[in-house]
C-alpha cells in the first residue's frame, strides 16, 4: 500500500464526493479517483459505493476512515510546540520510590490532574526504579544523582528521617536516650537486597544496632512500627503523617535528597515539562513536611 494514497481517501471520506476532494487537495478528479482505486486494489476491498449523491463509505471504508483519522491527528501533532496557555495532553510515566510515591506524590496527584485533565499519569511507586536512560520512564525521582547517561538532572528536594515508635510501644518500652537503643526491637531494611545504598540508615545511628524485623518495603516497615512491633527510621513525610506515631530521640536526624531525572530527548515534551514544574513547586511548598524545618 502506498501511504500517500491515504490523504485522497480521507478527503473523499470527509467530503463525500471525488470532485470536492480533488478541489480541496488541489488536484483533478481523475487523479483523485485513480489514487482511490489504487488503494482499493492494494487492500483488496472496496472502500466506496457510487451513489447518485456521490461516494458512500463501505464497511471496509468506515474501518479505514477511523484508522486514517487517528493517523491524521498524530501527524498534525508532529512538530507542534504548544503555547504556554495551550492545554497539555498525552501520557506520562513517573518512576519514584515506594514511600515517596505512596505518602507524598499520590496525596497531591489530584491537583495535577485537575490542572491538566488531558494528561494520563502512570505513577510507578516500587522498591526500585525504572531506568530513564533506557527510556523506561519519562521522569524518575531518584535517591542519588546519576553519574552518566543522556540525562538531565536537578536536586528536587532534601528530606529528613528520624526514629519513630507507636504510643503503645513506648508505653511498654520507654526509650530515654540513644544508649538504650540496643535493648529495643529495631525495624529496618534487608541489607543484602537494598536497591540503593542511600537506604542504609541504621549505620548512621550513634550506637551500633542490629535490626530484628526487616523488610525491603518502607510501607511494610511503617506498618510494623505503627503496630507496635518496634522502633524504626522513617522519612518525616511518612512518620509525621501518621498521628499514631511519635518521633523518638529527635536529635538523631538523617538527611537525604531526591533527584529529578529526565532523558535529554524527552525533557521538553509538554507533559514531562508540566509534571516536572508541578512537582518542583509542590516540594518547595511542602518543605516543612519534607525536612521538618
Amino acid at each position: 500500500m502506498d501511504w500517500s494514497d491515504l490523504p485522497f481517501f480521507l478527503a473523499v471520506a470527509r467530503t463525500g464526493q471525488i470532485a470536492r476532494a480533488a478541489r480541496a487537495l488541489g488536484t483533478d478528479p481523475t487523479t483523485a479517483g485513480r489514487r482511490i482505486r489504487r488503494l482499493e486494489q492494494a487492500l483488496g476491498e472496496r472502500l466506496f459505493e457510487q451513489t447518485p449523491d456521490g461516494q458512500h463509505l463501505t464497511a471496509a471504508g468506515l474501518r479505514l476512515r477511523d484508522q486514517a483519522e487517528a493517523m491524521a491527528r498524530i501527524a498534525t501533532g508532529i512538530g507542534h510546540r504548544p503555547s504556554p496557555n495551550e492545554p497539555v495532553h498525552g501520557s506520562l510515566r513517573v518512576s519514584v520510590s515506594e514511600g515517596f510515591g505512596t505518602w507524598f506524590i499520590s496525596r497531591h496527584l489530584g491537583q495535577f490532574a485537575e490542572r491538566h485533565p488531558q494528561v494520563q499519569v502512570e505513577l510507578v511507586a516500587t522498591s526500585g526504579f525504572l531506568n530513564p536512560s533506557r527510556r523506561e520512564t519519562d521522569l524518575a525521582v531518584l535517591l542519588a544523582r546519576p553519574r552518566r547517561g543522556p540525562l538531565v538532572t536537578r536536586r528536587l528536594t532534601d528530606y529528613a528521617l528520624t526514629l519513630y515508635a507507636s504510643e503503645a510501644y513506648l508505653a511498654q518500652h520507654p526509650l530515654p536516650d540513644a544508649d538504650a537503643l540496643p535493648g529495643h526491637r529495631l525495624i529496618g531494611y534487608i541489607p543484602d537486597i537494598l536497591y540503593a545504598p542511600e537506604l542504609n540508615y541504621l549505620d548512621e545511628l550513634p550506637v551500633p544496632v542490629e535490626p530484628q524485623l526487616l523488610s525491603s518495603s518502607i510501607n511494610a516497615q511503617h506498618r510494623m512500627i505503627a503496630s507496635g512491633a518496634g522502633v524504626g527510621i522513617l522519612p518525616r513525610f511518612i512518620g509525621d503523617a501518621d498521628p499514631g506515631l511519635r518521633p523518638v530521640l529527635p536529635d538523631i536526624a538523617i538527611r537525604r535528597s531526591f533527584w529529578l531525572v529526565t532523558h535529554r530527548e524527552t525533557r521538553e515534551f509538554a507533559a514531562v515539562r508540566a509534571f516536572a514544574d508541578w512537582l518542583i513547586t509542590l516540594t518547595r511548598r511542602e518543605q516543612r513536611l519534607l525536612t521538618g524545618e
Side-chain angles (χ1 to χ4, degrees):
M1 184 182 77
D2 189 336
W3 295 100
S4 67
D5 292 335
L6 281 176
F8 290 87
F9 163 77
L10 201 52
V12 176
R14 287 169 174 172
T15 63
Q17 290 187 351
I18 288 180
R20 289 180 184 174
R23 285 196 299 271
L25 294 172
T27 188
D28 58 87
T30 302
T31 300
R34 185 175 68 252
R35 301 293 287 270
I36 295 298
R37 289 192 297 273
R38 186 169 71 175
L39 182 59
E40 289 179 328
Q41 290 171 359
L43 296 175
E45 294 183 292
R46 181 177 292 278
L47 301 174
F48 294 100
E49 292 179 354
Q50 181 67 48
T51 73
D53 297 328
Q55 280 68 40
H56 285 195
L57 288 163
T58 64
L62 288 170
R63 290 194 300 271
L64 182 60
R65 182 194 62 184
D66 292 341
Q67 296 170 328
E69 290 283 10
M71 293 171 64
R73 286 193 295 270
I74 294 171
T76 300
I78 294 174
H80 172 68
R81 293 182 65 85
S83 67
N85 297 323
E86 186 174 339
V88 178
H89 58 85
S91 61
L92 180 72
R93 178 169 291 177
V94 184
S95 175
V96 298
S97 62
E98 180 190 24
F100 193 56
T102 303
W103 288 86
F104 187 79
I105 292 182
S106 61
R107 292 187 170 192
H108 301 277
L109 199 53
Q111 300 169 10
F112 179 84
E114 287 286 339
R115 188 177 305 173
H116 301 289
Q118 298 180 50
V119 177
Q120 180 188 60
V121 180
E122 299 176 353
L123 182 65
V124 183
T126 58
S127 297
F129 298 101
L130 300 180
N131 191 327
S133 293
R134 296 199 295 264
R135 302 283 292 274
E136 294 173 345
T137 183
D138 298 300
L139 292 98
V141 180
L142 305 180
L143 298 174
R145 183 175 189 174
R147 298 300 178 187
R148 58 184 177 273
L151 303 173
V152 179
T153 65
R154 63 167 290 164
R155 188 191 299 270
L156 177 63
T157 183
D158 294 334
Y159 67 100
L161 308 96
T162 194
L163 282 159
Y164 287 89
S166 70
E167 296 282 358
Y169 179 86
L170 292 172
Q172 298 294 322
H173 308 88
L175 183 54
D177 52 45
D179 291 337
L181 271 173
H184 287 258
R185 188 182 301 119
L186 268 293
I187 295 166
Y189 281 101
I190 304 170
D192 59 340
I193 57 173
L194 284 175
Y195 64 88
E198 291 77 17
L199 299 176
N200 194 8
Y201 308 130
L202 294 180
D203 283 355
E204 297 185 32
L205 294 177
V207 293
V209 294
E210 189 71 27
Q212 182 179 350
L213 301 176
L214 303 93
S215 175
S216 61
S217 164
I218 191 65
N219 286 332
Q221 293 178 44
H222 163 257
R223 294 309 306 156
M224 286 189 276
I225 297 168
S227 71
V231 181
I233 295 173
L234 294 173
R236 295 288 300 264
F237 60 80
I238 295 179
D240 290 355
D242 187 337
L245 296 183
R246 199 174 96 195
V248 295
L249 308 179
D251 290 341
I252 297 177
I254 299 169
R255 295 186 73 84
R256 292 290 189 270
S257 298
F258 285 127
W259 293 84
L260 183 61
V261 182
T262 58
H263 195 283
R264 280 203 303 260
E265 294 179 357
T266 60
R267 62 172 174 163
E268 290 303 320
F269 287 6
V272 173
R273 189 169 63 248
F275 192 91
D277 291 345
W278 171 78
L279 188 56
I280 290 167
T281 301
L282 175 64
T283 54
R284 286 174 179 168
R285 189 177 73 228
E286 298 293 335
Q287 280 297 289
R288 185 174 181 180
L289 175 63
L290 290 164
T291 66
E293 297 175 354

